[in-house]
Amino acid sequence: MADTLGALRSLMSSHSPPLHALIVPSEDYHQSEYVSARDKRRAFVSGFTGTSGLALITMNDALLWTDGRYFLQAAQQLSDQWKLMRMGEDPAIDIWMADNLPTDAAIGVDTWCVSVDTAQKWERAFAKKQQKLVQTTRNLVGEVWKNRPPAQANPVIVHPLQFAGQSVADKLRILRAKLVQEKARAMIITALDEVSWLYNVRGSDVSYCPVVHAFAIVTLDSAFFYVDRRKMSTEANSYMEENGIIVRDYGDVSSDVVLLASNQLTPSPTKEFLRNPEIDGGNAANKGNGASHAVEFVNDLIWVDPGACCFALYSKVSADKVLLQQSPLALAKALKNPVEMEGLKKAHIQDGAAVVQYLVWLDKQMQEIYGASGYFKEAECTKQKKQLGTKRLTEVSVSDKLEEFRASKEHFRGLSFPTTSSVGSNAAIIHYKPETETCAELDPDCIYLFDSGAQYLDGTTDITRTVHFGKPTPHEKSCYNAVLKGHISLGNAMFPNGTNGHALDILARIPLWKDGLDYRHGTGHGIGSYLNVHEGPHQISFRPSAKNVPLQVSMAVTDGPNIRMLFSRTWLL
């Protein structure tokens, strides 16, 4: 790790201009939560493997910011070369840089890996001391990462209409109507799950997320798909052609955004499109030869989602010609159509069956190997510990067994996130991922928690259970009951239209607060339809962003209060 920091500092010194600091985000070019192995730059430089975090390297310091889910994990994984900065407790990174770096400091970042919102926030903070955000000429971490995993050429898979429930043509028609409504002539789509959802394709470019590394640009009369062409089979190419989608090389998105900005990428809207009453409301003034010119004049904006689009692409468009607004695809994707709703229910039935099979198997194993009294008994364990050399159960071996049960189910396509299989104190580490060499052995006298989920062609799941195979302590029972009360309180809540997740979050916490307990993260998140396990824009959380989107019928959202003895399920609105 010291060699990596030294190599980066050398590159920072030789950069033009020389850099006083280098920011290494967790995100890839698409601002993804989960990224491919070759995009885990922050994990490479810091040694911290959590999904959320931000590294800052100066000539004298190395700091890692992360949120409350990962405080314990980061403290364990960071070497003494690094200082852990706890979000919500320590100064935010932009404040720290403004206060600790010299006036006129040059702060480097690969702007492909940072969102418009974040970059603009940093620029405002830096301006107070004439500091400046510098787009690095190349990704400096890539320069020192000698064994970086190679790019994969995993195939683009067409997602059948029997699971998608809505055609690409219908999705494009609705999106274009939204463009006209917002006086935009095009949209740059960068979020991987939005691209996959819009074009009804799936892939395996990111572990646990069935998405394709791709960009999309949609104009009033054209649609583009930017992808590594090696991933396109004959079937996939024919599918794109049938749907009027132009396939371009992944790297062409940069130059095409420049063309889009100068209105040279696509022709003007066709009269047939403009006469569509679903788009122009049947307004006679928009018909005829003059309609095209009127729409060209009015619809002159390029829609960019400031939370999802990288600053590098945004910088290629004139600021006065950009509509910075959340992508309309985020809400459209969250509002499941009837086919997706039915698929989500079927996926959870399948997944629930696998979890029940696992619990029955595990209960029997705990009795036979460890002399546990059994899951439904509170009597003292018989304490018949296994003999040396006999079979043993570990966090990893039982996790593998759970995956085996899931894999036997129809339409199974893999896990939806790394399984948290955790014994005793490990259960307090949110998103804990056991490793074969260091994982704990199961113990009937300790709590066991597994937080897991799967990807099925018809839906995505996220299920957590906490069990004890011996006799829990009074404190463990009290904590578990508080969590259960919070879970039931939120799950049974009835609320009027327009209520958001910020207003409901307190329902899950009140039973815990009565005992002086709380948890450092949100309570519920949206879930995809054979897509990302964490899906917005809605959420149930104390964070202000949870106020932005009301909960609506046909959304799916998890219910997960915890102490970190989490007990959750997914429910449908």
mmCIF file of all heavy atoms in Angstrom, residues 68 217 249 302 312 384 388 423 524 567:
data_model
loop_
_atom_site.group_PDB
_atom_site.id
_atom_site.type_symbol
_atom_site.label_atom_id
_atom_site.label_comp_id
_atom_site.label_asym_id
_atom_site.label_seq_id
_atom_site.Cartn_x
_atom_site.Cartn_y
_atom_site.Cartn_z
ATOM 1 N N GLY A 68 -21.867 5.309 7.894
ATOM 2 C CA GLY A 68 -21.994 4.514 9.108
ATOM 3 C C GLY A 68 -22.121 3.023 8.892
ATOM 4 O O GLY A 68 -21.831 2.240 9.803
ATOM 5 N N ILE A 217 -28.039 7.494 -25.810
ATOM 6 C CA ILE A 217 -28.519 8.838 -26.132
ATOM 7 C C ILE A 217 -29.833 8.666 -26.882
ATOM 8 O O ILE A 217 -29.908 7.895 -27.846
ATOM 9 C CB ILE A 217 -27.519 9.628 -27.001
ATOM 10 C CG1 ILE A 217 -26.236 9.926 -26.207
ATOM 11 C CG2 ILE A 217 -28.144 10.934 -27.485
ATOM 12 C CD1 ILE A 217 -25.169 10.652 -27.026
ATOM 13 N N ASP A 249 -19.769 2.237 -30.877
ATOM 14 C CA ASP A 249 -18.719 1.803 -29.961
ATOM 15 C C ASP A 249 -18.822 2.558 -28.637
ATOM 16 O O ASP A 249 -19.179 3.744 -28.604
ATOM 17 C CB ASP A 249 -17.340 2.039 -30.571
ATOM 18 C CG ASP A 249 -17.032 1.071 -31.700
ATOM 19 O OD1 ASP A 249 -17.479 -0.094 -31.611
ATOM 20 O OD2 ASP A 249 -16.365 1.477 -32.671
ATOM 21 N N ILE A 302 -30.689 19.681 -23.619
ATOM 22 C CA ILE A 302 -30.219 18.301 -23.512
ATOM 23 C C ILE A 302 -30.363 17.885 -22.052
ATOM 24 O O ILE A 302 -29.800 18.522 -21.159
ATOM 25 C CB ILE A 302 -28.761 18.173 -23.978
ATOM 26 C CG1 ILE A 302 -28.648 18.546 -25.460
ATOM 27 C CG2 ILE A 302 -28.248 16.755 -23.740
ATOM 28 C CD1 ILE A 302 -27.218 18.604 -25.962
ATOM 29 N N ALA A 312 -17.506 14.542 -16.840
ATOM 30 C CA ALA A 312 -16.758 14.585 -18.095
ATOM 31 C C ALA A 312 -17.686 14.787 -19.284
ATOM 32 O O ALA A 312 -17.406 15.594 -20.183
ATOM 33 C CB ALA A 312 -15.947 13.307 -18.267
ATOM 34 N N GLN A 384 -22.738 -30.667 23.309
ATOM 35 C CA GLN A 384 -21.944 -31.761 22.760
ATOM 36 C C GLN A 384 -21.135 -31.219 21.578
ATOM 37 O O GLN A 384 -21.504 -31.340 20.430
ATOM 38 C CB GLN A 384 -22.850 -32.905 22.302
ATOM 39 C CG GLN A 384 -23.634 -33.551 23.438
ATOM 40 C CD GLN A 384 -24.664 -34.531 22.909
ATOM 41 O OE1 GLN A 384 -24.831 -34.686 21.721
ATOM 42 N NE2 GLN A 384 -25.362 -35.199 23.825
ATOM 43 N N LEU A 388 -12.583 -33.276 17.279
ATOM 44 C CA LEU A 388 -11.564 -32.792 16.376
ATOM 45 C C LEU A 388 -11.566 -33.610 15.085
ATOM 46 O O LEU A 388 -11.548 -34.835 15.124
ATOM 47 C CB LEU A 388 -10.182 -32.866 17.043
ATOM 48 C CG LEU A 388 -9.029 -32.200 16.275
ATOM 49 C CD1 LEU A 388 -9.277 -30.699 16.145
ATOM 50 C CD2 LEU A 388 -7.702 -32.467 16.974
ATOM 51 N N VAL A 423 -21.556 -14.511 12.157
ATOM 52 C CA VAL A 423 -21.734 -15.101 13.483
ATOM 53 C C VAL A 423 -21.285 -14.110 14.557
ATOM 54 O O VAL A 423 -20.226 -13.479 14.421
ATOM 55 C CB VAL A 423 -20.922 -16.401 13.622
ATOM 56 C CG1 VAL A 423 -21.002 -16.945 15.050
ATOM 57 C CG2 VAL A 423 -21.421 -17.438 12.634
ATOM 58 N N GLY A 524 -35.369 1.580 4.246
ATOM 59 C CA GLY A 524 -35.863 0.825 3.092
ATOM 60 C C GLY A 524 -35.398 1.414 1.781
ATOM 61 O O GLY A 524 -35.173 2.622 1.670
ATOM 62 N N PHE A 567 -33.774 -7.759 10.530
ATOM 63 C CA PHE A 567 -34.885 -8.649 10.245
ATOM 64 C C PHE A 567 -35.733 -7.942 9.215
ATOM 65 O O PHE A 567 -36.375 -6.961 9.517
ATOM 66 C CB PHE A 567 -35.657 -8.882 11.541
ATOM 67 C CG PHE A 567 -36.913 -9.685 11.369
ATOM 68 C CD1 PHE A 567 -36.867 -10.975 10.877
ATOM 69 C CD2 PHE A 567 -38.131 -9.158 11.716
ATOM 70 C CE1 PHE A 567 -38.017 -11.729 10.734
ATOM 71 C CE2 PHE A 567 -39.297 -9.898 11.578
ATOM 72 C CZ PHE A 567 -39.233 -11.188 11.088
#
